Amino acid sequence: MSDFVFDTSTFDPSSLSTYEALPTGEYSFEIEGTENYTKENGDKLIKITLVCIDEKYSGRRVWDYCKYFSASGGSLAGGPQRVMSALLAAGIPGSPSPDEACAALDGETVNAKVKLRKAKPGDSYGDSNNVVERSEERRVGTECSCRWWPD
């Protein structure tokens, strides 16, 4: 016999976090977690998981993948700038290593502007969000750069 009982009479389905995309706009987020990892192709990234704390969309998540090393010598697509922008928005000075940056960002509260990216027909993941930059910083052919600012 199990020590755990599932009691659906007290369960509130609305308490679950949702992965539904946010409408384009500016939101407050808590940095739920960061991960410094190396892809199979040798590229190095910091993955930042942001959880919206604005009342209407509380709990919705947005991920920002910040490439800071390209094994092939290709574009970093603004990855280092996005990490530095997040560090400044969180009030973290200095020149931390990628692992130190991850540790410093965990749990911080920041604001970011996100853009809704509509799913293409047949896309199994549905609509998603990108953290976006000020339009004058956009470079043709690059991924979105981050626009963060202090809470």
Side-chain angles (χ1 to χ4, degrees):
M1 174 128 171
S2 172
D3 293 334
F4 184 81
V5 176
F6 292 98
D7 184 1
T8 58
S9 66
T10 60
F11 176 67
D12 177 12
S14 68
S15 68
L16 293 175
S17 157
T18 177
Y19 291 102
E20 187 176 335
L22 292 165
T24 297
E26 297 175 358
Y27 301 95
S28 294
F29 293 94
E30 179 177 324
I31 298 176
E32 180 181 66
T34 56
E35 179 184 354
N36 180 23
Y37 68 98
T38 302
K39 292 174 62 175
E40 287 182 19
N41 68 0
D43 288 353
K44 296 182 180 187
L45 298 97
I46 292 178
K47 173 183 163 185
I48 302 173
T49 303
L50 303 150
V51 178
C52 186
I53 56 176
D54 290 353
E55 186 175 333
K56 185 174 181 181
Y57 300 107
S58 182
R60 293 199 191 174
R61 286 171 172 74
V62 175
W63 291 268
D64 194 14
Y65 297 86
C66 307
K67 181 169 42 171
Y68 64 89
F69 175 79
S70 172
S72 67
S75 170
L76 299 180
Q81 292 85 353
R82 293 200 314 271
V83 173
M84 288 183 286
S85 185
L87 288 165
L88 290 173
I92 301 163
S95 302
S97 70
D99 287 333
E100 292 168 336
C102 287
L105 287 171
D106 284 347
E108 292 293 329
T109 301
V110 295
N111 295 305
K113 184 175 181 181
V114 299
K115 180 179 179 182
L116 178 65
R117 186 177 64 196
K118 297 297 278 179
K120 295 180 176 142
D123 185 350
S124 61
Y125 289 108
D127 295 346
S128 62
N129 290 114
N130 283 348
V131 179
V132 297
E133 80 292 358
R134 293 181 291 276
S135 60
E136 66 271 15
E137 294 177 357
R138 178 117 182 138
R139 293 188 312 257
V140 176
T142 66
E143 297 171 9
C144 288
S145 297
C146 184
R147 179 181 176 206
W148 309 73
W149 60 97
D151 182 31

